[in-house]
Amino acid sequence: MTLVANARQEEAWNGEEGRRCADHYQRLDRMAAPANEHLLAAAGIGERDRVLDIGCGTGDTTRIAARHAARGHAVGIDLSAPMLEIA
Ligand SMILES: C[S@@+](CC[C@H](N)C(=O)[O-])C[C@H]1O[C@@H](n2cnc3c(N)ncnc32)[C@H](O)[C@@H]1O
C-alpha cells in the first residue's frame, strides 16, 4: 500500500507533468545547472557526508551530491515513476 498525503501532486508527477519533465530532462538539467552550482555550494557537502535528496527527479542533483560526497553516500527519492526511470 502506498500512502501519499498530496494525491494531486502524486497524480501530476506520475502523469503529464512528470512525463514532460522526463522527456526533456537533458534540457531541464542544462537550465538548472547554474542554480545547482549555488545550491551545492550552499549545502557544503563534505567528502564523507551522507546526502538524502528528497524530490530528486531524474537524479541530476543526486549525482552531483554523490561526486561531492565521494567517500560518503548520496540517495535520491522521488514519487514520479517516469522521472525515476530516467534517474
Ligand atoms: C521541480 S522537480 C525537481 C527535481 C530535481 N530536484 C531537480 O532539481 O532537477 C520536483 C520533484 O519533486 C518530486 N516530488 C514532489 N512531491 C514529492 C513527494 N511528496 N515526495 C517525493 N518527491 C516528490 C516530483 O516528483 C519532482 O520530481
Side-chain angles (χ1 to χ4, degrees):
M1 182 172 67
T2 304
L3 290 177
V4 178
N6 189 332
R8 282 193 184 162
Q9 283 292 310
E10 193 270 343
E11 284 170 23
W13 289 109
N14 279 294
E16 184 58 30
E17 176 116 28
R19 277 194 299 277
R20 196 170 44 242
C21 288
D23 287 347
H24 299 285
Y25 81 96
Q26 289 167 317
R27 186 166 58 85
L28 293 171
D29 284 353
R30 279 196 302 275
M31 285 170 56
N36 284 342
E37 278 181 36
H38 294 289
L39 171 70
L40 271 292
I45 297 169
E47 193 179 40
R48 295 182 186 276
D49 281 351
R50 292 176 295 170
V51 179
L52 177 59
D53 185 0
I54 299 171
C56 66
T58 54
D60 196 36
T61 47
T62 313
R63 287 186 290 277
I64 296 168
R67 289 195 283 276
H68 285 257
R71 292 173 186 266
H73 298 276
V75 174
I77 65 167
D78 204 284
L79 51 62
S80 170
M83 294 178 76
L84 286 175
E85 202 169 310
I86 300 290

